[in-house]
Amino acid sequence: MITSRNTILQAVSLKISQKEKFGIICDSQTVERKMPVKSPTTEAVARSENMDSLLTSQAGLDAFRTFLKSEFSEENVEFWLACEDFKKTENAEKIASKAKMIYSEFIEADAPKEINIDFSTRDLISKNIAEPTLKCFDEAQKLIYCLMAKDSFPRFLKSEIYKKLVNSKQVGNQKKWFPFL
């Protein structure tokens, strides 16, 4: 029994260290962005795998959206962007109307762009939507960010869409500065 437990602990430690290598730890409770240890190879990997920079770059975001559409999962980035916009809302009436729009479009059962979140998160949002706050979608947004970071983003980096984006940012033999390349 002790050997089995040690094997499980080693496997969990290996999985965590692999996530740390990519600069992010995601689980159902937290999203932590960690700075990877810099070496010539990890620095290049970190530049190419920086999803935060991708999401703030219009060209990168457009390419990522195109990729997600090809995988029939564009609702993830659309939800994430809707949440970012929602957090900037200052008017109480607009908070309520935007929250209801996000809920009906992404959260409720059979929503047109329903996102893949766990029951407890969906249930908590459903209970709190009557009196929404700017933080009412935070947990769901973290879950979707993790889903994109762990699942979609690594595939995006291997895609033809990403390769075309990289090639379009090259001038002669020099690359233009692009935050996630």
Side-chain angles (χ1 to χ4, degrees):
M1 194 66 148
I2 291 175
T3 305
S4 172
R5 184 176 180 197
N6 288 341
T7 304
I8 291 169
L9 290 173
Q10 288 173 342
V12 169
S13 294
L14 177 62
K15 192 168 188 169
I16 289 171
S17 69
Q18 289 171 338
K19 289 179 180 178
E20 287 176 339
K21 177 177 123 182
F22 293 108
I24 189 162
I25 294 181
C26 293
D27 62 25
S28 63
Q29 301 302 315
T30 60
V31 175
E32 295 178 29
R33 292 177 188 97
K34 302 226 179 207
M35 293 303 294
V37 177
K38 299 288 183 187
S39 74
T41 54
T42 58
E43 193 168 344
V45 169
R47 276 196 314 267
S48 69
E49 295 182 351
N50 188 336
M51 194 165 100
D52 288 334
S53 295
L54 172 80
L55 293 172
T56 59
S57 158
Q58 191 59 54
L61 181 59
D62 291 345
F64 191 50
R65 281 179 122 160
T66 301
F67 172 75
L68 290 175
K69 283 180 185 177
S70 75
E71 292 203 331
F72 305 100
S73 61
E74 70 269 19
E75 70 277 359
N76 292 330
V77 75
E78 289 178 15
F79 172 73
W80 189 88
L81 291 168
C83 289
E84 289 297 294
D85 178 62
F86 176 71
K87 289 177 187 178
K88 297 173 189 167
T89 308
E90 295 177 4
N91 179 307
E93 286 180 18
K94 286 187 179 183
I95 289 172
S97 67
K98 281 185 176 184
K100 287 180 177 139
M101 187 277 304
I102 291 171
Y103 180 79
S104 65
E105 192 169 345
F106 299 103
I107 305 294
E108 72 183 353
D110 299 322
K113 298 178 182 180
E114 185 177 359
I115 56 170
N116 185 12
I117 56 175
D118 61 274
F119 173 79
S120 61
T121 303
R122 187 179 312 276
D123 192 47
L124 180 63
I125 293 170
S126 296
K127 289 176 182 173
N128 293 330
I129 199 68
E131 294 181 32
T133 67
L134 291 177
K135 295 185 177 280
C136 67
F137 298 110
D138 283 0
E139 187 63 27
Q141 187 182 20
K142 288 176 190 175
L143 292 171
I144 293 303
Y145 182 95
C146 285
L147 178 67
M148 290 189 300
K150 292 186 329 188
D151 187 44
S152 304
F153 190 65
R155 285 195 314 276
F156 169 69
L157 293 176
K158 296 174 186 174
S159 73
E160 287 300 315
I161 295 168
Y162 177 74
K163 289 174 187 172
K164 286 179 185 176
L165 177 65
V166 171
N167 290 336
S168 74
K169 297 300 172 187
Q170 291 180 343
V171 177
N173 289 336
Q174 296 181 2
K175 286 186 182 178
K176 288 182 181 178
W177 181 84
F178 203 54
F180 66 95
L181 298 179

mmCIF file of all heavy atoms in Angstrom, residues 5 11 46 54-56 64 94 96 98 104 118 122 125 156 167 172 179:
data_model
loop_
_atom_site.group_PDB
_atom_site.id
_atom_site.type_symbol
_atom_site.label_atom_id
_atom_site.label_comp_id
_atom_site.label_asym_id
_atom_site.label_seq_id
_atom_site.Cartn_x
_atom_site.Cartn_y
_atom_site.Cartn_z
ATOM 1 N N ARG A 5 0.994 4.275 -2.808
ATOM 2 C CA ARG A 5 0.798 5.685 -2.437
ATOM 3 C C ARG A 5 1.961 6.524 -2.935
ATOM 4 O O ARG A 5 1.769 7.621 -3.455
ATOM 5 C CB ARG A 5 0.637 5.801 -0.935
ATOM 6 C CG ARG A 5 0.332 7.187 -0.483
ATOM 7 C CD ARG A 5 0.077 7.236 0.984
ATOM 8 N NE ARG A 5 -0.205 8.605 1.354
ATOM 9 C CZ ARG A 5 -0.162 9.047 2.578
ATOM 10 N NH1 ARG A 5 0.101 8.237 3.553
ATOM 11 N NH2 ARG A 5 -0.417 10.308 2.822
ATOM 12 N N ALA A 11 3.550 10.509 -9.384
ATOM 13 C CA ALA A 11 2.815 10.843 -10.609
ATOM 14 C C ALA A 11 2.203 12.231 -10.513
ATOM 15 O O ALA A 11 2.248 13.009 -11.464
ATOM 16 C CB ALA A 11 1.725 9.803 -10.881
ATOM 17 N N ALA A 46 8.605 29.774 -23.549
ATOM 18 C CA ALA A 46 7.736 30.699 -22.818
ATOM 19 C C ALA A 46 7.190 31.785 -23.731
ATOM 20 O O ALA A 46 6.023 32.148 -23.639
ATOM 21 C CB ALA A 46 8.497 31.331 -21.650
ATOM 22 N N LEU A 54 -1.217 36.395 -26.152
ATOM 23 C CA LEU A 54 -2.055 36.058 -27.307
ATOM 24 C C LEU A 54 -3.420 36.727 -27.187
ATOM 25 O O LEU A 54 -3.919 37.314 -28.140
ATOM 26 C CB LEU A 54 -2.232 34.544 -27.402
ATOM 27 C CG LEU A 54 -3.237 34.074 -28.454
ATOM 28 C CD1 LEU A 54 -2.590 34.093 -29.827
ATOM 29 C CD2 LEU A 54 -3.755 32.696 -28.124
ATOM 30 N N LEU A 55 -4.017 36.648 -26.008
ATOM 31 C CA LEU A 55 -5.364 37.179 -25.812
ATOM 32 C C LEU A 55 -5.422 38.701 -25.839
ATOM 33 O O LEU A 55 -6.492 39.276 -26.024
ATOM 34 C CB LEU A 55 -5.956 36.653 -24.497
ATOM 35 C CG LEU A 55 -6.225 35.146 -24.466
ATOM 36 C CD1 LEU A 55 -6.615 34.707 -23.064
ATOM 37 C CD2 LEU A 55 -7.279 34.744 -25.478
ATOM 38 N N THR A 56 -4.278 39.354 -25.680
ATOM 39 C CA THR A 56 -4.257 40.823 -25.723
ATOM 40 C C THR A 56 -3.754 41.359 -27.064
ATOM 41 O O THR A 56 -3.747 42.560 -27.274
ATOM 42 C CB THR A 56 -3.400 41.411 -24.577
ATOM 43 O OG1 THR A 56 -2.076 40.907 -24.685
ATOM 44 C CG2 THR A 56 -3.990 41.069 -23.227
ATOM 45 N N PHE A 64 -6.329 32.831 -33.073
ATOM 46 C CA PHE A 64 -6.788 31.851 -32.090
ATOM 47 C C PHE A 64 -8.291 31.594 -32.251
ATOM 48 O O PHE A 64 -8.736 30.448 -32.197
ATOM 49 C CB PHE A 64 -6.459 32.341 -30.679
ATOM 50 C CG PHE A 64 -6.641 31.300 -29.597
ATOM 51 C CD1 PHE A 64 -6.095 30.038 -29.706
ATOM 52 C CD2 PHE A 64 -7.343 31.620 -28.449
ATOM 53 C CE1 PHE A 64 -6.248 29.093 -28.693
ATOM 54 C CE2 PHE A 64 -7.505 30.690 -27.434
ATOM 55 C CZ PHE A 64 -6.956 29.421 -27.555
ATOM 56 N N LYS A 94 -26.467 48.243 -16.288
ATOM 57 C CA LYS A 94 -25.736 47.528 -17.330
ATOM 58 C C LYS A 94 -25.125 46.241 -16.792
ATOM 59 O O LYS A 94 -25.036 45.251 -17.515
ATOM 60 C CB LYS A 94 -24.660 48.424 -17.945
ATOM 61 C CG LYS A 94 -25.224 49.478 -18.865
ATOM 62 C CD LYS A 94 -24.133 50.227 -19.578
ATOM 63 C CE LYS A 94 -24.743 51.268 -20.507
ATOM 64 N NZ LYS A 94 -23.733 51.972 -21.276
ATOM 65 N N ALA A 96 -26.447 44.287 -14.552
ATOM 66 C CA ALA A 96 -27.548 43.314 -14.537
ATOM 67 C C ALA A 96 -27.878 42.820 -15.948
ATOM 68 O O ALA A 96 -28.022 41.609 -16.172
ATOM 69 C CB ALA A 96 -28.780 43.921 -13.886
ATOM 70 N N LYS A 98 -25.985 42.921 -18.756
ATOM 71 C CA LYS A 98 -24.872 42.168 -19.336
ATOM 72 C C LYS A 98 -24.756 40.786 -18.693
ATOM 73 O O LYS A 98 -24.489 39.806 -19.385
ATOM 74 C CB LYS A 98 -23.550 42.922 -19.175
ATOM 75 C CG LYS A 98 -23.337 44.033 -20.166
ATOM 76 C CD LYS A 98 -21.940 44.621 -19.993
ATOM 77 C CE LYS A 98 -21.640 45.676 -21.027
ATOM 78 N NZ LYS A 98 -20.254 46.170 -20.904
ATOM 79 N N SER A 104 -27.520 33.831 -20.370
ATOM 80 C CA SER A 104 -28.394 33.186 -21.367
ATOM 81 C C SER A 104 -27.623 32.706 -22.593
ATOM 82 O O SER A 104 -28.008 31.735 -23.234
ATOM 83 C CB SER A 104 -29.528 34.121 -21.784
ATOM 84 O OG SER A 104 -29.020 35.240 -22.458
ATOM 85 N N ASP A 118 -18.402 22.748 -14.748
ATOM 86 C CA ASP A 118 -18.975 21.759 -13.846
ATOM 87 C C ASP A 118 -20.310 22.230 -13.276
ATOM 88 O O ASP A 118 -20.627 23.423 -13.286
ATOM 89 C CB ASP A 118 -17.999 21.437 -12.710
ATOM 90 C CG ASP A 118 -17.672 22.656 -11.878
ATOM 91 O OD1 ASP A 118 -16.747 23.406 -12.261
ATOM 92 O OD2 ASP A 118 -18.349 22.867 -10.864
ATOM 93 N N ARG A 122 -21.874 26.115 -12.404
ATOM 94 C CA ARG A 122 -23.077 26.535 -13.124
ATOM 95 C C ARG A 122 -24.215 26.828 -12.136
ATOM 96 O O ARG A 122 -24.926 27.822 -12.261
ATOM 97 C CB ARG A 122 -23.504 25.443 -14.110
ATOM 98 C CG ARG A 122 -24.638 25.839 -15.034
ATOM 99 C CD ARG A 122 -25.005 24.733 -16.018
ATOM 100 N NE ARG A 122 -23.871 24.131 -16.698
ATOM 101 C CZ ARG A 122 -23.303 24.626 -17.791
ATOM 102 N NH1 ARG A 122 -23.778 25.718 -18.342
ATOM 103 N NH2 ARG A 122 -22.275 24.021 -18.350
ATOM 104 N N ILE A 125 -23.651 30.149 -10.217
ATOM 105 C CA ILE A 125 -23.969 31.300 -11.072
ATOM 106 C C ILE A 125 -25.483 31.434 -11.212
ATOM 107 O O ILE A 125 -26.022 32.541 -11.127
ATOM 108 C CB ILE A 125 -23.292 31.174 -12.454
ATOM 109 C CG1 ILE A 125 -21.772 31.266 -12.309
ATOM 110 C CG2 ILE A 125 -23.800 32.266 -13.404
ATOM 111 C CD1 ILE A 125 -21.011 30.911 -13.578
ATOM 112 N N PHE A 156 -3.176 24.824 -30.829
ATOM 113 C CA PHE A 156 -3.077 26.021 -31.667
ATOM 114 C C PHE A 156 -1.624 26.260 -32.073
ATOM 115 O O PHE A 156 -1.338 26.568 -33.239
ATOM 116 C CB PHE A 156 -3.630 27.234 -30.915
ATOM 117 C CG PHE A 156 -3.334 28.556 -31.564
ATOM 118 C CD1 PHE A 156 -3.929 28.910 -32.771
ATOM 119 C CD2 PHE A 156 -2.476 29.460 -30.958
ATOM 120 C CE1 PHE A 156 -3.653 30.140 -33.375
ATOM 121 C CE2 PHE A 156 -2.203 30.686 -31.555
ATOM 122 C CZ PHE A 156 -2.789 31.027 -32.755
ATOM 123 N N ASN A 167 4.500 33.264 -39.989
ATOM 124 C CA ASN A 167 5.072 33.653 -41.282
ATOM 125 C C ASN A 167 4.644 35.055 -41.699
ATOM 126 O O ASN A 167 5.407 35.790 -42.318
ATOM 127 C CB ASN A 167 4.692 32.640 -42.364
ATOM 128 C CG ASN A 167 5.401 31.320 -42.173
ATOM 129 O OD1 ASN A 167 6.466 31.257 -41.562
ATOM 130 N ND2 ASN A 167 4.801 30.252 -42.676
ATOM 131 N N GLY A 172 11.483 39.720 -44.231
ATOM 132 C CA GLY A 172 12.786 39.203 -44.674
ATOM 133 C C GLY A 172 13.183 38.054 -43.771
ATOM 134 O O GLY A 172 12.430 37.120 -43.575
ATOM 135 N N PRO A 179 4.320 39.714 -29.225
ATOM 136 C CA PRO A 179 4.491 39.320 -27.835
ATOM 137 C C PRO A 179 4.409 37.837 -27.536
ATOM 138 O O PRO A 179 5.024 37.371 -26.619
ATOM 139 C CB PRO A 179 3.382 40.063 -27.097
ATOM 140 C CG PRO A 179 2.471 40.599 -28.117
ATOM 141 C CD PRO A 179 3.211 40.626 -29.406
#
